């Protein structure tokens, strides 16, 4: 299990300790346990998680991708609100027109995703930024895109705190995003986080 960079109660009230206990402590733990069981004695056993996501299929892919996606999600949350830094802000403004427009487009994409899945800010192979949705355990790395930010829109991510109000969850979680982590992912300078 990846270690959270904050206490389970630290993201409240936007994300309650009960949500973290279930989402991180039970859902992610189950994916980790399932993956460890599935890869034992297989060619995947010694692979890095990212390589598994890009090469596996079926249950190994589902559990590897869900482990990777959840870890990536939790690592970019913080109890201390962060502003979008100037370099990241310039990149987002160049692509989306303004930081407000980026937020609006991201939340609209996440709100409109039918069923369970993930909404991502990605860097395409040509260096451009984009917002993409994936369903189920989907991960944009499988399409050659580099993830920079993800928000979990599976119901287990928000149902305890927000019931069926996904839009309210998305608005609240926006204030928990650690934009320093997103910026270091974009610049490739992260040392303690994925990418």
């Amino acid at each position: 299990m990846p270690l959270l960079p904050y206490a389970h109660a630290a993201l409240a009230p936007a994300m309650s300790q009960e949500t973290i206990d279930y989402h991180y402590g039970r859902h992610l733990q189950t994916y980790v346990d399932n993956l460890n069981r599935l890869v034992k004695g297989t060619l995947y056993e010694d692979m890095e998680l990212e390589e598994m996501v890009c090469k596996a299929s079926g249950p190994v892919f589902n559990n590897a991708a869900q482990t990777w996606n959840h870890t990536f999600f939790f690592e970019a949350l913080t109890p201390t609100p962060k502003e979008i830094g100037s370099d990241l802000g310039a990149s987002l403004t160049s692509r989306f027109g303004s930081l407000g427009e980026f937020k609006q487009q991201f939340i609209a994409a996440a709100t409109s995703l039918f069923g369970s899945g993930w909404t991502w800010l990605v860097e395409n192979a040509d260096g451009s930024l984009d917002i993409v949705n994936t369903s189920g355990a989907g991960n944009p790395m499988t399409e050659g895109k580099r993830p920079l930010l993800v928000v979990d829109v599976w119901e287990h991510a928000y149902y305890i705190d927000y019931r069926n109000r996904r839009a309210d969850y998305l608005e609240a979680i926006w204030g928990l995003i650690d934009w320093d982590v997103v910026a270091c992912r974009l610049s490739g300078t992260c040392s303690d986080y994925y990418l």
Side-chain angles (χ1 to χ4, degrees):
M1 281 289 283
L3 296 178
L4 293 179
Y6 40 80
H8 284 213
L11 303 180
M15 187 178 290
S16 68
Q17 179 173 342
E18 184 181 9
T19 289
I20 293 289
D21 288 346
Y22 275 88
H23 194 184
Y24 166 81
R26 295 192 184 183
H27 285 277
L28 177 53
Q29 183 70 64
T30 298
Y31 292 127
V32 170
D33 292 345
N34 286 343
L35 182 62
N36 287 335
R37 180 180 46 80
L38 287 166
V39 302
K40 189 172 182 178
T42 73
L43 62 94
Y44 299 110
E45 188 169 22
D46 295 322
M47 277 187 191
E48 293 293 326
L49 190 56
E50 187 171 311
E51 186 179 6
M52 261 187 265
V53 170
C54 292
K55 291 185 175 179
S57 60
V60 171
F61 168 79
N62 288 334
N63 286 278
Q66 288 290 65
T67 297
W68 197 97
N69 296 356
H70 277 91
T71 302
F72 198 74
F73 168 68
F74 286 123
E75 283 184 341
L77 299 180
T78 179
T80 307
K82 302 278 177 92
E83 295 293 324
I84 297 175
S86 58
D87 289 346
L88 176 60
S91 296
L92 293 170
T93 298
S94 174
R95 168 59 180 88
F96 299 101
S98 70
L99 295 179
E101 185 62 24
F102 163 62
K103 177 184 176 182
Q104 184 178 5
Q105 289 183 35
F106 192 97
I107 289 178
T111 303
S112 66
L113 177 62
F114 182 77
S116 299
W118 306 84
T119 299
W120 307 80
L121 172 66
V122 298
E123 183 180 33
N124 295 312
D126 64 3
S128 64
L129 301 181
D130 207 357
I131 297 167
V132 297
N133 285 335
T134 59
S135 296
N139 185 301
M141 290 189 300
T142 63
E143 298 176 358
K145 301 175 187 296
R146 186 163 70 107
L148 305 173
L149 170 70
V150 68
V151 172
D152 189 341
V153 291
W154 282 67
E155 284 187 342
H156 65 243
Y158 59 88
Y159 210 81
I160 290 171
D161 298 325
Y162 299 94
R163 299 300 185 250
N164 64 340
R165 300 185 323 275
R166 183 187 286 184
D168 291 349
Y169 155 73
L170 293 166
E171 189 64 41
I173 204 165
W174 200 259
L176 299 178
I177 295 171
D178 189 335
W179 295 106
D180 292 347
V181 172
V182 179
C184 82
R185 288 170 174 169
L186 178 60
S187 66
T189 59
C190 291
S191 58
D192 296 331
Y193 300 95
Y194 282 170
L195 301 178

